[in-house]
Amino acid sequence: MDLRTYVIRRFILMIFVLFGIVVITFVISHVIPADPIGAILGPQASPELVEKIRREWGFDKPLHEQFVDYIFKLMKGDLGKSIRTNNPVVEDLLYFFPATIELATSAMIVAIAIGIPLGIISAVKKDKWPDHISRIFALVGVSMPVFWLGLILLFVLYYKLGIFPGPGRLDPGIPEPPRITGLITIDSLISGNFKALLNSLWHLALPSFVLGYYASASITRITRTALLEVLNQDYIKTARSKGLAERVVLFRHALRNALIPTTTVIGMTYGSLLEGAVLTETIFAWPGLGRYSTGAFLSVDFLAVMGTTLLIALIYSLANLIVDILYAFLDPRIRYA
Amino acid sequence: MHEVITLALMDYLKSEDFRITLYLVRKSPLTMLGMTLTISLILFAILAPYIAKQDPIEQDPSKRLLPPSPEHPFGTDQLGRDIFSRVIWGSRISLTIAVIVVAISFSTGTVLGIVAGYFGGKVDELLMRITDMFMAFPRLILAMAVAAALGPGIFNTVIAMAFVSWVYYARLSRASTLQVREEMFVEAARAIGASNLRILFKHILPVTISPVIVQATLDMGGAILTAAALGFLGLGVQPPTPEWGVMVSEGRRFITEQWWVSTFPGFAILLATLGFNLLGDGINDILNVRSRR
Amino acid sequence: MLLEIRDLKVIFHTIRGMVRAVNGVDLMLNQGEIIGLVGETGSGKTVTGLSILRLLDQNAEIIDGKIIFDGRDLLKLPMNEMLKIRGKEISMIFQEPKAALNPVIPVGDQVAESFMVHERITKSEAKKRVIEMFNRVELPDPERIYKSYPHELSGGMAQRVVISMALALRPKLLIADEPTSALDVTIQAQIMDLFKELVRQFKTSVIYITHDMALAAEISDKIAVMYAGRIVEVAKTEEIFEEPLHPYTRGLLRSIPDVKRRMKTLFSMPGEIPSMLNPPPGCLFHPRCPDKMEICERKVPILKKVDEHEVACFLYG
């Protein structure tokens, strides 16, 4: 099968995945709660109101009919209305999600920049001090409650030492650039506002590092494992027997192979980053999906919660799709199997 | 009956297998550290009433937000409660949640995975589709959604977490089962007429168990972390129950002046999770080394 | 004298302790000679081969000995000198051809790499020379093979690629570790013929490592028999077959099923190779030896010249 067929197949698979996501969100929002309408309207609603809305929204219909209703609503882009903001949930999501994408993606860059070199060092210096140190570093990263780390670092590095800026995406004095993509860094770049660009990058630094460190742990581990596996192979012996310097063997032969399973893990790591964003955005006053959903949890804004869950699952699936296609570029065995 | 078990245990303890395992554990200081942390956690949880004499729930407004001192090693929180006590008692909460969640997801997931992998066909297809659907969501996100749907409280937290975790065990045990199913000795067993159940227990289970055990240990750490995250978000255990994540969240407002309220509970989460992760990693290394013989 | 290995000792560090893989090996090879290094699995023959190019794993250690190639002791050479020898003066090929090639790089580029590492030529020049080599090893449609990945090739084709890679720079010495064992029997014969022809054309000296005595005999001028980390007998091929001196060699030859003789049962030597973790005292073969003497349990025999042979056995003094 060649590359084109593979990509097409992968896209078709994506559709099934999306369907699965819809099924699960349906189950969670309609089947699991004892009283879905009560959950949506919140504890203050009177029983009469609950009953009225139940009938209005078709929640007294049999389950499979509800499911069809649900799908139709989704296709129209109707995710309900947030009781907190009073906006349609879809609007809220569209407003908030770019900030999360900006955070998650820059954290991903940090995670890769930390994780892969550490993994390489670990593998090459196996069982010696650099290996032990980076393994501990990675293990601590994966055991760390990311919301706590964010809090502590913000306290120490911002409040006490003033090295990093405070919460938020920009200093209060600096106006936001015109909203084109919603990512302040890109928007500043596009509108030529370098002051905002630098400031936003500086604000991005600490939260990206906190999230990135957490995610780098799994990248370090897979790089280490994959590289060790590869270095044991015969083709590495062959490469050495041809008279190649060790550095060339490592980068031209070993890494090319080790990065293949690593890529898959990087896709999954994006999911951890989205999780981390949800947990840390409140701490950094980052106006993204995390902040939105945390507010939703606190005020029992059930529809907002479900909307966020759906969107995050969507973003995660997209990330995995991109990674899978990248995988096909890296591994010819998939393409020409 | 227990003579048989004692004899078997003594036999194992004298065997070379055990000595090699012990040697490997001793040789890895990280695994030793993991074991120490984990055992300490368990001891703290069991002996909480004796270690933490002060009532974790009783409020005393006159003692609000006191810094760490010999009387209150971790200081007091905004309601005058001793944080040290709360952290120690919190170990019970976290450990209990983790154990129950892992026990449920481990058992259901592994059994379903083995059954699907062994019998194949439509059953297997169905399991794969279902697990695929679950795995399209990042774990915590799904747990949060289910927790939001069920409502707060420790019981609902456990259900939400178990609901989300079983799929990983199912996948793992299914993969192992598929591997083993093709092995010669299973074919041989079938050829001499062994029943399916017998094959499952005697042959398939021992092989699939070891990666699952590693996963379960690591998952204990993950469960502690997840429970804390849910607590932090207000979705899980509710105050005044001393759950570490909740405590971090409550202390947020005071971080600038009274840093201890959030710091110590969070540090407890870190150490507890680290302990299990180190242990799980160590077990993984040991099992790998032994199987490579 | 092209290559002289003197008293090579290699150990492996394992969790169970130190394993003596190679326990004092002496070997001599002249220019243009082909020597077969024959032994069972675990005899140390592969480790010996890898030691020459210093390609051993991290947990292996060469604790003693000299490997003199072209007047220089390879074991004492600084790494940058060693890199100039690898691939150019001494090459090695391994058992599994597809595993010996990098799965994500087209095979042609991998062979071209050999040229480009040791000579200052451009990629397109290297490519031309690779195609030449591919023709030499009788690969059909060399241009297409150049762009192929290892998994797209059959075992035989892959091994031809590997051979072309090893012989690209006309090395003086080629170490071949079971190059045909992983191939189908019919392909084995083809590759063997190709191998013999090329080695003759290029006048390459070869150390042919194998467990198959008959295969060694096909190609080698001399045969060295290895057992439990030591060489026990060395002689010209015809001599080994006509008059095997060492009891182990005799056992090996008797184990080869002979189509011409009618045999009721297949012969196999009783016992198995000793644990190299805790080797028994004296001659390592003595537990299995039909001609064992009292001295064999106490002292280790060394290689001595007996007529045209070299043998390590107390039967001969």
Side-chain angles (χ1 to χ4, degrees), chain A residues 139 142-145, chain B residues 41 217-218 220-225 244 268-278:
Chain A
L139 268 172
V142 116
S143 317
M144 184 85 72
Chain B
L41 178 69
T217 312
L218 294 171
M220 288 290 293
I224 294 180
L225 214 47
W244 293 332
I269 304 173
L270 172 59
L271 287 181
T273 312
L274 187 62
F276 280 107
N277 280 340
L278 284 172

Side-chain angles (χ1 to χ4, degrees), chain A residues 123-154:
Chain A
V124 169
K125 304 250 180 251
K126 180 175 189 266
D127 290 336
K128 301 197 199 118
W129 278 114
D131 182 20
H132 286 130
I133 293 182
S134 73
R135 283 178 91 179
I136 298 182
F137 186 71
L139 268 172
V140 169
V142 116
S143 317
M144 184 85 72
V146 71
F147 49 91
W148 178 75
L149 182 67
L151 194 59
I152 301 288
L153 285 186
L154 196 61

Side-chain angles (χ1 to χ4, degrees), chain B residues 9 29 52 58 60 63 71 181 225 274:
Chain B
L9 194 62
E58 188 184 318
D60 187 353
K63 291 191 176 172
E71 227 185 282
R181 194 178 66 161
L225 214 47
L274 187 62

Side-chain angles (χ1 to χ4, degrees), chain A residues 17 20-21 23-25 28 32-33 135-136 139-140 142-145 147-148 151-152 155 159 221 271 275 278-279 282-283 294 297-298 302 305 309 312-313 316-317, chain B residues 30 133-142 144-146 148-150 225 228-229 232-233 235 252 255-257 259 262-263 266-267 269-270 273-274 277-278 281 285:
Chain A
V17 169
I21 292 178
V23 169
I24 296 262
T25 36
I28 297 179
I32 291 186
R135 283 178 91 179
I136 298 182
L139 268 172
V140 169
V142 116
S143 317
M144 184 85 72
F147 49 91
W148 178 75
L151 194 59
I152 301 288
F155 171 61
Y159 188 72
R221 293 164 108 192
E275 290 175 350
V278 170
L279 292 172
T282 24
I283 296 178
T294 310
F297 293 135
L298 290 174
F302 192 58
V305 172
T309 309
I312 292 186
Y316 182 47
S317 304
Chain B
L30 291 180
M133 292 197 301
F134 275 80
M135 287 170 92
F137 295 77
R139 252 169 105 155
L140 184 64
I141 305 288
L142 195 58
M144 281 165 24
V146 177
L150 287 173
L225 214 47
F232 177 76
L233 291 170
L235 284 169
R252 262 187 67 207
I255 188 72
T256 48
E257 297 304 317
W259 52 271
S262 287
T263 307
F267 200 60
I269 304 173
L270 172 59
T273 312
L274 187 62
N277 280 340
L278 284 172
D281 235 27
D285 279 348

Side-chain angles (χ1 to χ4, degrees), chain A residues 256-297:
Chain A
R256 275 285 272 115
N257 281 276
L259 283 180
I260 295 177
T262 307
T263 313
T264 311
V265 171
I266 289 182
M268 297 186 337
T269 307
Y270 204 75
S272 313
L273 287 173
L274 292 169
E275 290 175 350
V278 170
L279 292 172
T280 51
E281 277 182 10
T282 24
I283 296 178
F284 290 101
W286 200 264
L289 288 178
R291 192 120 173 261
Y292 180 63
S293 54
T294 310
F297 293 135

Side-chain angles (χ1 to χ4, degrees), chain C residues 17-285:
Chain C
M18 217 168 60
V19 173
R20 291 168 219 274
V22 175
N23 223 352
V25 157
D26 298 303
L27 198 65
M28 293 197 289
L29 190 64
N30 285 310
Q31 191 107 40
E33 261 189 328
I34 301 179
I35 185 169
L37 190 54
V38 182
E40 297 174 67
T41 314
S43 56
K45 52 193 199 301
T46 303
V47 178
T48 307
L50 289 171
S51 305
I52 299 176
L53 278 180
R54 290 163 63 179
L55 285 175
L56 294 169
D57 284 337
Q58 274 194 342
N59 61 338
E61 201 187 327
I62 304 180
I63 54 174
D64 205 356
K66 291 194 190 349
I67 300 185
I68 307 192
F69 176 78
D70 242 8
R72 298 194 286 177
D73 185 359
L74 295 180
L75 298 179
K76 298 235 173 24
L77 228 49
M79 208 35 156
N80 61 331
E81 293 289 324
M82 198 68 211
L83 292 182
K84 293 197 205 140
I85 292 190
R86 285 183 186 166
K88 188 158 151 59
E89 316 253 339
I90 308 181
S91 273
M92 190 158 178
I93 60 183
F94 303 94
Q95 187 168 340
E96 276 267 15
K98 288 204 227 183
L101 292 167
N102 193 326
V104 300
I105 301 180
V107 301
D109 285 337
Q110 296 186 47
V111 183
E113 199 178 26
S114 286
F115 288 111
M116 289 166 64
V117 160
H118 293 281
E119 297 178 17
R120 296 182 154 284
I121 57 177
T122 62
K123 180 99 180 265
S124 48
E125 272 181 42
K127 181 166 178 179
K128 273 192 241 150
R129 311 233 335 235
V130 171
I131 305 282
E132 261 178 57
M133 271 312 280
F134 279 1
N135 280 317
R136 276 280 185 120
V137 298
E138 293 165 20
L139 277 171
D141 200 353
E143 294 273 352
R144 188 179 61 92
I145 304 257
Y146 189 98
K147 290 184 287 198
S148 306
Y149 290 95
H151 67 272
E152 294 175 285
L153 303 174
S154 72
M157 296 195 322
Q159 194 62 298
R160 287 175 204 264
V161 170
V162 169
I163 292 175
S164 69
M165 192 159 64
L167 293 176
L169 292 160
R170 313 273 198 271
K172 293 195 189 126
L173 173 62
L174 172 66
I175 307 170
D177 192 353
E178 312 253 27
T180 57
S181 310
L183 305 170
D184 291 335
V185 178
T186 40
I187 310 288
Q188 254 185 38
Q190 286 178 24
I191 300 290
M192 210 40 181
D193 286 338
L194 174 72
F195 192 76
K196 282 193 280 192
E197 181 53 33
L198 284 177
V199 156
R200 191 188 63 81
Q201 276 180 30
F202 295 172
K203 304 204 211 317
T204 322
S205 313
V206 181
I207 298 181
Y208 193 93
I209 301 176
T210 179
H211 61 274
D212 187 340
M213 186 68 111
L215 215 50
E218 253 196 73
I219 189 170
S220 321
D221 306 316
K222 277 192 331 202
I223 291 191
V225 181
M226 237 180 122
Y227 185 76
R230 303 188 60 118
I231 308 252
V232 297
E233 187 168 355
V234 187
K236 291 220 200 85
T237 310
E238 310 86 54
E239 297 271 346
I240 286 267
F241 276 81
E242 270 168 40
E243 227 202 304
L245 292 184
H246 196 282
Y248 178 62
T249 319
R250 288 201 214 127
L252 274 183
L253 288 170
R254 277 184 69 190
S255 315
I256 302 175
D258 190 346
V259 194
K260 285 176 269 167
R261 279 179 20 227
R262 294 191 60 181
M263 294 163 72
K264 290 251 184 64
T265 50
L266 289 178
F267 174 77
S268 70
M269 281 184 276
E272 45 182 45
I273 51 171
S275 152
M276 295 314 284
L277 200 56
N278 261 328
C283 171
L284 287 169
F285 187 62

